[in-house]
Amino acid sequence: MSVETSQRVELVIGGMTCASCAARVERKLNKVDGVSATVNYATEKAQVDFPGALSVDDLVGVVESAGYTAQQPKPDEPRTDDTDGLRRRLLVSAVLAVPVIVLAMVPAWQFTYWQWVSLVLAAPVVTWGAWPFHRATWTNLRHGAATMDTLISLGVAAAALWSLYALLFGTAGVPGMRHGFVWTMERGSGAGNLYLEVAAGVTTFLLAGRYFEARSKRRSGAALRALLELGAKDVAVLEDGAEKRVPIGDLKTGDEFVVRPGEKIATDGVVIDGGSAVDLSMLTGESVPVEVTTGDAVVGGTVNAGGRLVVRATRIGADTQLAQMARLVEDAQTGKAQVQRLADRVSAVFVPVVIALAVGTLGFWLGAGGGADAAFTAAVAVLIIACPCALGLATPTALLVGTGRGAQLGILIKGPEVLESTRKADTVVLDKTGTVTAGKMSLTDVHGEAEVLRLAAAVEHASEHPIARAIAGAAEERLGALPPVVGFRTVEGLGVVGEVEGKTVLAGRTALLDRHGITLGDEFAQVKAAAEERGATAVVVAWDGEARGVLVVADTVKPTSKQAVKELRALGLRPVLLTGDNAGSAKAVAAEVGIDEVVAEVLPAGKVDVVKRLQAEGRVVAMVGDGVNDAAALAQADLGLSMGTGTDAAIEAGDLTLVRGDLRAAVDAIRLSRRTLGTIKGNLFWAFAYNVAALPLAALGLLNPMIAGAAMAFSSVFVVSNSLRLRGFRGVA
């Protein structure tokens, strides 16, 4: 019996307008036997595993039957950007809608035949401008679903069609007709009532909200581009002993290439000549550069911090560790559940209730002998008042003010869907290097004779090694100008030697002293062991055949990290320190800032696994990181906070970007996000509440258009005022 093989395909899905659309496509695909699919609204992609009996065309057909489009992405084709079209739709609608609203609200400006001018201006807005909402409503209705799009489309259509009826068959089209402010409630036919300003205004407000959301969603694929751009663009290949620069795409497995100090290693390979220190921090989080020599493996994208290397390529293209990390990020983004818009969840209940009420109102008045005209007036009034103007302002205004205040505090919020996660988060995973710590080597202790730092720094000053730079920089800051060095040389993988003021100075590892027959001694050996136990690097110094001291270099904790951890706990978050660095260093840092849970010595894929494990335990995870090695974990976390001082890949993979390299900014980001979400919820409540309160009046046929307009205007003013309160938010930093 043969086992049917499973295939995987990625499809680009078109036509989705909200998270519920993505859920609908996913359900439709998963109903097919043998198919397992995940659909991501943010990236507009579906990952589909399907049996060999099916073809990609079959899957495309399933998606199209749900009312959406699907196609396989073309390798060289950039992702389509629909924000330009949406922006054009918004601008045209706004230009046409403003005069309609002004004419309706200012009776003194209502010239003869103004109502017909309003119709001409409003018609493109309620048809072409509102087309995305009408199209989504049709798709939703075909599947028996109701979202905010349904509510908008129904309200806009009802307002526009009733206005057209009043103009053509009622009294609204007569010359000299005025919209006066009458503050009384009375039953009438409604044949003279116009609602064109409602239809045009609501459409424009909601297009503005949809445009700003689409702009933030467009950035979701940028993490992958940032990751892939980290690699070298060209490489110096050795051909018959001569170097030749070629594009990275021309490099083949087995080729030998040269990496000079400061250059990125072009691809994964093995060192065949030379020795150097390689900065792996962006991949592993290891704060100390790793010494490599002949026979050692190196990873593409990392930086050569020391001497010249000749490397033989072992993996290229999609097989490299960097490409595998890009896949990790994409998989994490695809699997990340998108929060359905709050307004959609409310609309799913509100829309059927409104439709039922409108039908019930029509039936009641017809049955009560009120006449068809009055019955239809009351029923349509129910649909019109159910479309709240303030709903279009509820989310965008709070986001606009909240994100604006965040930008002032160095916090960039990428989109509305991330706010829900900030409220639910109960665990915060903190990367160590560059997030809790400074991410660069600093001289922390000097043990031994008074001259140790000055003489050792003089020799180290001639070296390009990151540890050497840390020692030399600290010495220049403390002591001023350093003495010159003569006969400087690097001893591969061990340290440096040079003559300073007539003394032959050695600085490096214990093995360097052993090679010169110098014993370290018990006192310095204990200092060295204690330093290494807490994850620091000990540089031993000797001259004139005797060990003279130990310099301790380490990645130091940022001054504000301890306070930030305390504030995170106060927000109800449980901190976890996660790092690729060694366990000794991680535990020392955790103890210093007050973190109990530590996970150390993990690779990028391991970081993703740790986040998944915490999520499997039922925790809602926020992750703060800054390196390439954090990108996939940031994407996997329920809430990713990326330090703006870090790499582009990490910044793009996060949901929130912290411009300052201060962990307290994470506290501010979570507090501000929670406050903004609370404001949005309050806005939505009032946006619906005013209209719900007016529904009984509409059903009774007592809804005066001016009272309805005033109620809508007041609810809109309230929503804007409520959002503006976010400007008073104060950060802890």
Side-chain angles (χ1 to χ4, degrees):
M1 178 178 165
S2 63
V3 178
E4 195 169 33
T5 57
S6 178
Q7 304 174 65
R8 169 169 285 198
V9 69
E10 183 179 75
L11 297 175
V12 177
I13 309 296
M16 296 191 295
T17 60
C18 61
S20 57
C21 294
R24 190 174 301 124
V25 174
E26 192 171 293
R27 281 197 303 272
K28 193 84 172 176
L29 285 167
N30 285 327
K31 281 182 181 176
V32 180
D33 285 341
V35 171
S36 174
T38 55
V39 180
N40 185 281
Y41 171 56
T43 59
E44 295 177 348
K45 288 181 180 178
Q47 292 275 8
V48 189
D49 292 313
F50 62 101
L54 293 174
S55 68
V56 174
D57 288 340
D58 294 329
L59 299 174
V60 170
V62 171
V63 175
E64 289 176 345
S65 71
Y68 305 91
T69 63
Q71 63 177 16
Q72 284 185 272
K74 295 172 184 173
D76 299 324
E77 187 178 57
R79 179 176 165 181
T80 56
D81 182 8
D82 60 353
T83 52
D84 289 341
L86 197 53
R87 181 173 179 269
R88 186 164 54 249
R89 201 180 292 267
L90 167 61
L91 290 175
V92 172
S93 297
V95 168
L96 295 174
V98 168
V100 176
I101 295 168
V102 170
L103 284 173
M105 294 298 165
V106 186
W109 292 358
Q110 292 170 0
F111 53 85
T112 307
Y113 298 121
W114 70 273
Q115 65 273 45
W116 293 99
V117 173
S118 291
L119 176 65
V120 171
L121 292 173
V125 180
V126 299
T127 52
W128 176 77
W131 178 245
F133 306 115
H134 299 322
R135 183 180 58 209
T137 297
W138 173 242
T139 302
N140 291 331
L141 290 176
R142 282 171 55 197
H143 299 91
T147 65
M148 191 174 84
D149 290 325
T150 316
L151 183 57
I152 298 160
S153 185
L154 275 176
V156 168
L161 291 173
W162 184 261
S163 299
L164 189 63
Y165 166 80
L167 283 168
L168 296 176
F169 305 107
T171 59
V174 299
M177 190 278 281
R178 293 286 185 274
H179 250 196
F181 283 92
V182 181
W183 298 103
T184 57
M185 287 186 292
E186 55 186 19
R187 193 169 290 122
S189 72
N193 297 345
L194 291 180
Y195 296 97
L196 290 170
E197 78 283 2
V198 173
V202 166
T203 299
T204 304
F205 284 143
L206 285 152
L207 279 173
R210 191 63 59 85
Y211 169 67
F212 289 120
E213 184 177 346
R215 259 202 346 182
S216 69
K217 186 162 70 74
R218 180 182 60 182
R219 295 176 61 86
S220 60
L224 302 179
R225 292 194 295 276
L227 257 177
L228 296 173
E229 285 169 5
L230 279 171
K233 301 297 183 290
D234 55 20
V235 57
V237 176
L238 281 178
E239 290 183 0
D240 300 323
E243 294 181 25
K244 180 185 177 184
R245 282 273 165 190
V246 299
I248 191 68
D250 294 346
L251 189 66
K252 298 184 291 295
T253 303
D255 282 353
E256 295 176 3
F257 60 92
V258 176
V259 189
R260 289 187 173 78
E263 288 185 341
K264 288 178 182 175
I265 296 173
T267 192
D268 297 0
V270 175
V271 178
I272 59 170
D273 186 35
S276 179
V278 176
D279 183 357
L280 300 177
S281 59
M282 73 167 194
L283 283 176
T284 65
E286 182 77 35
S287 54
V288 181
V290 175
E291 301 286 346
V292 295
T293 186
T294 305
D296 290 338
V298 289
V299 179
T302 55
V303 179
N304 177 14
R308 178 180 183 272
L309 294 174
V310 178
V311 180
R312 179 181 293 117
T314 56
R315 289 186 294 192
I316 58 169
D319 296 326
T320 63
Q321 195 167 327
L322 195 61
Q324 288 166 7
M325 286 175 64
R327 283 197 293 276
L328 273 176
V329 173
E330 185 160 30
D331 290 345
Q333 284 187 331
T334 301
K336 193 171 182 178
Q338 295 298 312
V339 179
Q340 190 182 19
R341 284 199 296 256
L342 287 169
D344 281 338
R345 299 211 295 270
V346 177
S347 299
V349 177
F350 190 63
V351 172
V353 170
V354 168
I355 293 173
L357 184 59
V359 172
T361 299
L362 179 66
F364 172 79
W365 284 112
L366 288 174
D373 204 17
F376 275 100
T377 297
V380 172
V382 168
L383 290 176
I384 291 171
I385 197 62
C387 186
C389 285
L391 184 64
L393 293 168
T395 299
T397 54
L399 268 180
L400 194 64
V401 181
T403 53
R405 181 64 187 135
Q408 290 175 339
L409 296 171
I411 301 158
L412 306 180
I413 302 172
K414 286 197 178 174
E417 67 278 357
V418 311
L419 301 176
E420 187 86 359
S421 299
T422 65
R423 181 178 62 84
K424 294 178 178 177
D426 55 26
T427 301
V428 59
V429 174
L430 304 173
D431 167 55
K432 182 183 78 69
T433 308
T435 303
V436 176
T437 66
K440 62 180 183 179
M441 307 303 287
S442 301
L443 181 68
T444 59
D445 294 297
V446 179
H447 299 270
E449 297 183 16
E451 289 287 275
V452 163
L453 178 58
R454 193 172 73 88
L455 296 180
V459 182
E460 297 282 22
H461 191 267
S463 171
E464 290 298 315
H465 196 289
I467 291 175
R469 287 202 295 267
I471 293 171
E476 284 180 318
E477 193 176 305
R478 298 180 193 182
L479 307 173
L482 299 173
V485 61
V486 179
F488 170 83
R489 62 190 174 90
T490 299
V491 183
E492 207 168 275
L494 296 181
V496 292
V497 179
E499 191 173 315
V500 183
E501 296 178 347
K503 301 180 178 72
T504 301
V505 180
L506 291 75
R509 299 186 176 188
T510 310
L512 179 64
L513 272 64
D514 293 342
R515 184 178 286 191
H516 288 77
I518 301 171
T519 306
L520 185 58
D522 292 342
E523 182 189 345
F524 291 146
Q526 287 174 6
V527 169
K528 177 177 177 291
E532 290 173 346
E533 192 176 331
R534 65 175 192 269
T537 300
V539 177
V540 296
V541 184
W543 65 79
D544 293 341
E546 188 179 337
R548 304 289 180 166
V550 177
L551 305 179
V552 180
V553 178
D555 181 12
T556 54
V557 171
K558 292 177 183 176
T560 57
S561 292
K562 186 173 183 178
Q563 183 198 347
V565 170
K566 184 180 176 183
E567 296 281 355
L568 288 167
R569 285 189 187 276
L571 289 173
L573 296 163
R574 173 178 162 188
V576 178
L577 189 68
L578 178 64
T579 180
D581 216 339
N582 65 76
S585 175
K587 286 175 182 174
V589 169
E592 189 173 340
V593 298
I595 297 176
D596 304 322
E597 193 172 343
V598 179
V599 184
E601 299 177 12
V602 286
L603 293 172
K607 289 193 174 187
V608 177
D609 292 339
V610 170
V611 173
K612 285 181 178 177
R613 174 175 61 77
L614 291 169
Q615 289 170 330
E617 292 171 4
R619 300 201 219 173
V620 179
V621 179
M623 164 92 186
V624 188
D626 75 323
V628 176
N629 58 313
D630 303 317
L634 285 166
Q636 176 64 41
D638 300 285
L639 176 69
L641 297 98
S642 51
M643 306 293 273
T645 50
T647 63
D648 288 346
I651 291 168
E652 298 297 354
D655 302 307
L656 294 163
T657 300
L658 314 174
V659 175
R660 292 172 291 141
D662 185 341
L663 192 56
R664 290 180 301 178
V667 179
D668 288 342
I670 292 172
R671 286 179 56 241
L672 177 61
S673 297
R674 287 180 177 179
R675 180 85 64 83
T676 306
L677 180 66
T679 302
I680 289 172
K681 286 186 171 181
N683 287 350
L684 287 172
F685 171 79
W686 287 108
F688 280 104
Y690 280 112
N691 300 85
V692 169
L695 281 174
L697 297 177
L700 291 170
L702 297 172
L703 193 66
N704 178 283
M706 286 300 102
I707 292 178
M712 287 185 178
F714 183 70
S715 65
S716 297
V717 169
F718 179 88
V719 160
V720 172
S721 303
N722 192 40
S723 297
L724 287 173
R725 292 191 307 126
L726 285 167
R727 290 193 302 184
F729 176 85
R730 292 285 178 270
V732 297

